[in-house]
Amino acid sequence: MPFTSCHPLKRDSQQSSWLLLAPLLTPPVPVITAMPCSLCPEGAHRFQWIRNLVPEFGISSSHVKVLSSPAEFYELLKVQIKTAKQRVVMASLYLGTGLLEQELVNCLEETLEKSLQANESPNLRVSILLDYTRGSRGRKNSRTMLIPLLQRFPEQVRVSLFHTPNLRGLLKLLIPERFNETIGLQHIKVYLFDDNVILSGANLSDLYFTNRQDRYVLLQDSPEIADFFTELVDAIGDVSLQLQQDDTVQMMEGMVHPYQGDKVRYCEIANQRVMEVIDSARTRQELLHAKTFHSSQQGSSMLPQHDSEASEGLKPEPDTWIYPLIQMKPFGIQIDEMVTETLLTEAERDAKIYLTTGYFNLTQAYMDLILGTRAEYRILLASPEVNGFFGAKGVAGAIPSAYVYIEHQFYNEVCCLHQQERVQLQEYSRAGWTFHAKGLWLYLAGSSLPCLTLIGSPNFGYRSVHRDLEAQVAIVTENKALQQQLHQEQEQLYLCSGVVSSSTFEQPSRHVKLWVKLVTPLIKNFF
């Protein structure tokens, strides 16, 4: 959601003409359709087809905790940092520069210091992945916040700044700060501490710790999942610029530069690094699954005594499955897009899909599937007043109007197709808050609880699919208690909303100026 929480348009309105250059200077991206696949009912659950694409991690539902508030998210981050012993890995769009963010950095410093004092060769490693353009904005920025850690703990701390390969040459020369963030970003949000993983859409900024509503799921004691995301962040870090103690950046030795080197070669290397992580984890999990399945087929009486005793320590049969879905179109990786399109395509009649995004700008493919398939949809989006750009100066102040215009166009399509009962729009509204939650909950036909949710960084828009680096997970569960947690999370978000009708767009706050209507089709692929 790049063109969102980072506010790249808070700038003088005279510079809005730069946005019009971008479509001319960036080549069009072809539309990719989803792989043919059906939600087969065989096996432990009907979504096992996803493991044909990505690793499948089977866990106990007792290891999954759904958080509900920014404050809970922030306190959990601090607690997890303070108790980490082996690794802290954090991937975000950026780190803010306020007091709350400084407190996080202080927690990291204290934990690193304890590790240093406890061992001559300290075990704790801290790896932070941010976006280069967003993290370098202004004099005081993410880089200046983290340099003291690099200076004091050079052997333990790594700060990687991803720079999109699409921002190069004339584009990089002409497009000013903030506007350059529209071309492509590192948008993954993963926070892991030893074997605990937090998946979210929230960035490391004070708004996301106080009054910006998002989603957050904690996966506790999940070493295989933590290993996967550690390796993923490492892989992206390897093809990113490395922050140095003097605030300069440099690439790892032998690595192709993202905007000065050969673009095709750079993207090939990045693709190889990321796909190696996905494929090796998938192979490991398949072997583990086969071994577990084979062991479960053996009667305990057939096992030697010591094996039988060892088997008592085995983990219980999983009732929940985690699938990491990666989307990095600049590198030719489109797994999240394929899985999302398949889920939308195959959802049966009378199934319900609750889909939420802080920035309603669905791809044409997603819109076509929603309008042309059988399931019921409840789509939650931000009202103009809780949009992150509401009240911004200059051209940024018109962004909420652009979203209203896109929303109105989609609503008109729903009405033209007489689908108002099946496809319903709802607007989140909460005084003093902004809205940034994104994801999906799937309720099978006849069920009052969801068995699947998607949670992570994508917004289901053009940027998420085509421009940025994104990651989310599909959580599939058979456990009623976890299904209830996910259901309550969905209900809590939707309770703060009102249903959109034709009268919604007659309100004065929904008036869209002519120039916004004219410009929106030209720039909608950049936010």
Side-chain angles (χ1 to χ4, degrees):
M1 154 262 55
F3 210 41
T4 60
S5 62
C6 49
H7 299 290
L9 289 183
K10 283 188 180 176
R11 206 158 167 96
D12 191 273
S13 59
Q14 292 177 347
Q15 293 181 331
S16 62
S17 58
W18 288 112
L19 280 177
L20 304 181
L21 284 174
L24 303 176
L25 297 170
T26 306
V29 183
V31 175
I32 305 295
T33 55
M35 60 176 286
C37 194
S38 61
L39 305 184
C40 53
E42 294 86 5
H45 58 80
R46 64 194 304 169
F47 303 101
Q48 284 185 334
W49 56 268
I50 305 177
R51 74 180 182 202
N52 295 327
L53 298 170
V54 297
E56 175 186 73
F57 300 100
I59 64 173
S60 168
S61 56
S62 62
H63 292 186
V64 184
K65 182 182 180 183
V66 180
L67 312 181
S68 60
S69 73
E72 192 178 5
F73 170 59
Y74 180 61
E75 291 304 317
L76 180 62
L77 286 176
K78 290 193 294 182
V79 168
Q80 290 292 316
I81 289 172
K82 289 176 181 178
T83 56
K85 298 290 189 293
Q86 303 294 328
R87 59 184 169 188
V88 172
V89 179
M90 299 198 289
S92 183
L93 175 61
Y94 69 106
L95 170 70
T97 57
L99 294 176
L100 295 180
E101 297 92 327
Q102 186 59 56
E103 192 173 344
L104 280 185
V105 175
N106 292 345
C107 287
L108 283 169
E109 184 178 11
E110 290 170 14
T111 304
L112 284 161
E113 183 63 39
K114 285 180 185 175
S115 174
L116 199 60
Q117 291 175 355
N119 297 283
E120 289 183 9
S121 176
N123 296 323
L124 182 66
R125 295 291 180 267
V126 174
S127 177
I128 300 173
L129 172 66
L130 305 173
D131 182 73
Y132 175 86
T133 52
R134 182 62 183 87
S136 303
R137 188 204 293 178
R139 286 189 177 181
K140 188 178 182 182
N141 53 40
S142 305
R143 293 162 64 164
T144 59
M145 292 287 287
L146 293 169
I147 282 172
L149 292 182
L150 280 172
Q151 292 173 338
R152 189 169 178 191
F153 308 99
E155 300 301 317
Q156 293 173 263
V157 178
R158 180 193 196 192
V159 178
S160 304
L161 301 169
F162 174 79
H163 190 295
T164 178
N166 291 327
L167 182 64
R168 56 174 50 226
L170 192 59
L171 270 182
K172 188 167 179 64
L173 184 66
L174 292 178
I175 300 183
E177 190 178 80
R178 297 177 186 252
F179 286 89
N180 57 13
E181 295 165 26
T182 65
I183 304 303
L185 296 168
Q186 192 307 108
H187 198 241
I188 296 168
K189 291 81 184 279
V190 175
Y191 310 106
L192 74 86
F193 314 89
D194 292 340
D195 293 337
N196 300 327
V197 183
I198 303 172
L199 278 306
S200 182
N203 291 303
L204 295 173
S205 172
D206 54 5
L207 289 174
Y208 296 89
F209 304 150
T210 52
N211 62 344
R212 191 161 176 76
Q213 183 63 57
D214 216 299
R215 297 180 65 207
Y216 335 84
V217 167
L218 169 64
L219 307 177
Q220 297 172 295
D221 190 23
S222 301
E224 293 90 355
I225 300 173
D227 287 347
F228 172 84
F229 279 108
T230 297
E231 291 170 14
L232 179 68
V233 172
D234 282 347
I236 302 168
D238 288 347
V239 298
S240 299
L241 295 157
Q242 305 300 306
L243 183 63
Q244 305 299 306
Q245 297 178 30
D246 60 357
D247 198 20
T248 60
V249 293
Q250 64 184 42
M251 292 299 292
M252 288 175 55
E253 188 175 350
M255 183 59 62
V256 178
H257 199 282
Y259 63 85
Q260 294 175 350
D262 181 80
K263 179 180 175 182
V264 172
R265 182 62 185 142
Y266 173 81
C267 291
E268 285 176 350
I269 293 172
N271 174 285
Q272 290 168 6
R273 291 287 178 103
V274 174
M275 289 308 300
E276 280 172 8
V277 172
I278 295 170
D279 292 339
S280 62
R282 186 166 160 252
T283 300
R284 286 197 305 269
Q285 292 308 114
E286 284 176 348
L287 290 171
L288 181 63
H289 176 78
K291 183 179 178 182
T292 304
F293 179 78
H294 179 72
S295 297
S296 68
Q297 301 304 300
Q298 308 298 318
S300 58
S301 60
M302 299 173 63
L303 291 171
Q305 186 176 354
H306 65 277
D307 286 348
S308 180
E309 290 170 357
S311 69
E312 292 176 7
L314 291 175
K315 294 179 181 179
E317 282 290 308
D319 59 7
T320 299
W321 296 268
I322 309 295
Y323 302 94
L325 307 180
I326 311 303
Q327 185 74 13
M328 300 179 181
K329 192 67 167 284
F331 305 155
I333 299 170
Q334 302 163 238
I335 297 170
D336 180 60
E337 176 187 7
M338 293 163 66
V339 171
T340 302
E341 288 190 2
T342 305
L343 289 172
L344 299 182
T345 300
E346 299 293 339
E348 73 268 37
R349 188 182 302 278
D350 296 327
K352 272 193 174 181
I353 291 179
Y354 288 78
L355 186 151
T356 178
T357 173
Y359 301 89
F360 184 75
N361 185 18
L362 302 179
T363 65
Q364 191 62 51
Y366 290 162
M367 286 194 289
D368 289 345
L369 287 170
I370 290 170
L371 294 172
T373 50
R374 300 157 293 180
E376 291 183 31
Y377 286 86
R378 301 293 179 263
I379 302 174
L380 182 62
L381 49 116
S383 66
E385 295 78 16
V386 298
N387 185 293
F389 292 101
F390 186 73
K393 296 178 181 179
V395 70
I399 293 297
S401 288
Y403 283 114
V404 168
Y405 181 57
I406 294 167
E407 175 191 352
H408 197 181
Q409 285 183 310
F410 181 76
Y411 179 78
N412 286 339
E413 283 193 63
V414 172
C415 293
C416 287
L417 295 170
H418 306 290
Q419 299 288 313
Q420 299 97 308
E421 292 298 314
R422 190 179 66 82
V423 181
Q424 192 174 94
L425 296 178
Q426 295 177 227
E427 288 186 352
Y428 186 94
S429 183
R430 188 176 179 186
W433 284 64
T434 54
F435 183 67
H436 193 250
K438 69 280 299 273
L440 177 154
W441 299 259
L442 174 60
Y443 295 67
L444 297 176
S447 176
S448 60
L449 297 173
C451 62
L452 176 147
T453 191
L454 300 182
I455 178 169
S457 63
N459 274 295
F460 306 104
Y462 187 95
R463 287 196 59 104
S464 292
V465 171
H466 295 288
R467 297 190 176 279
D468 299 336
L469 306 192
E470 305 278 10
Q472 63 180 339
V473 294
I475 301 176
V476 177
T477 184
E478 295 176 341
N479 180 270
K480 294 299 181 186
L482 178 53
Q483 290 179 355
Q484 188 65 44
Q485 272 195 75
L486 295 171
H487 176 66
Q488 288 173 349
E489 178 199 30
Q490 177 270 116
E491 279 195 322
Q492 185 177 355
L493 290 173
Y494 279 70
L495 275 174
C496 296
S497 71
V499 176
V500 172
S501 66
S502 56
S503 61
T504 301
F505 302 101
E506 295 170 5
Q507 299 172 21
S509 62
R510 299 301 193 279
H511 173 70
V512 181
K513 295 177 180 178
L514 178 60
W515 75 268
V516 175
K517 294 180 181 180
L518 294 174
V519 170
T520 297
L522 298 174
I523 65 170
K524 66 181 292 186
N525 292 345
F526 293 86
F527 63 91

